[in-house]
Amino acid sequence: MTTPNPPTPAEVAAQLRRVFEISNGFEIFLGLFAEDGVFELPFDPPDRPTRFVGRQAIRDGLTARVRSSRARLDTRGAEIVVHETTDPEVVVVEFEAYGSVKETGEDYRFSSSIGIIRVRDGRIVHYRDFQNPRVISVD
């Protein structure tokens, strides 16, 4: 069953900013996915899983990563740029998260993440997140 007037892909992508700005952002992130949605991290190291199918698998696969990031970084927000495509279900999103490193207090910017997001009926059905974890720079 489809939702009347579901959010557009650009509107769903714009909600991703909240993931970085509030304490329960991870729950909001998970809630944007269809129950059988797919999340991929194609550039992750070979010793880590790079594909998660289903909202629960996404939660299980990313929880430790989110905890580790929150333990090290105080993220204050993110700037995002949403690019619409010729495919009405797909947007490309550029992220630049910012905050400080908890241990040192130094500012950081993470500006090399690009997501290709397919949205159907207002929910993410496929999200490919291209990020290089080595690119977090301390200003």
Side-chain angles (χ1 to χ4, degrees), residues 17-130:
R17 178 180 288 115
R18 295 175 57 209
V19 170
F20 296 95
E21 296 175 341
I22 59 178
S23 61
N24 66 338
F26 185 53
E27 291 304 317
I28 289 170
F29 175 75
L30 292 169
L32 295 173
F33 278 84
E35 192 63 40
D36 59 350
V38 176
F39 183 76
E40 294 181 304
L41 293 155
F43 291 163
D44 256 16
D47 62 334
R48 288 181 159 182
T50 59
R51 181 177 168 89
F52 307 96
V53 179
R55 196 180 298 148
Q56 188 60 47
I58 296 167
R59 174 191 303 278
D60 295 346
L62 299 183
T63 295
R65 295 174 197 216
V66 169
R67 282 190 188 132
S68 173
S69 176
R70 286 186 182 158
R72 295 180 302 114
L73 304 173
D74 180 19
T75 301
R76 292 189 296 272
E79 297 172 18
I80 66 169
V81 178
V82 178
H83 302 277
E84 296 191 59
T85 70
T86 57
D87 184 329
E89 292 186 335
V90 176
V91 291
V92 175
V93 181
E94 297 177 69
F95 291 93
E96 183 170 80
Y98 55 88
S100 59
V101 178
K102 288 183 178 181
E103 186 175 309
T104 65
E106 294 180 82
D107 288 340
Y108 80 88
R109 279 201 177 264
F110 182 77
S111 59
S112 69
S113 180
I114 295 176
I116 300 173
I117 304 169
R118 179 173 297 277
V119 175
R120 192 170 296 132
D121 295 325
R123 296 281 184 210
I124 297 171
V125 294
H126 195 193
Y127 186 140
R128 216 175 268 125
D129 191 6
F130 295 92

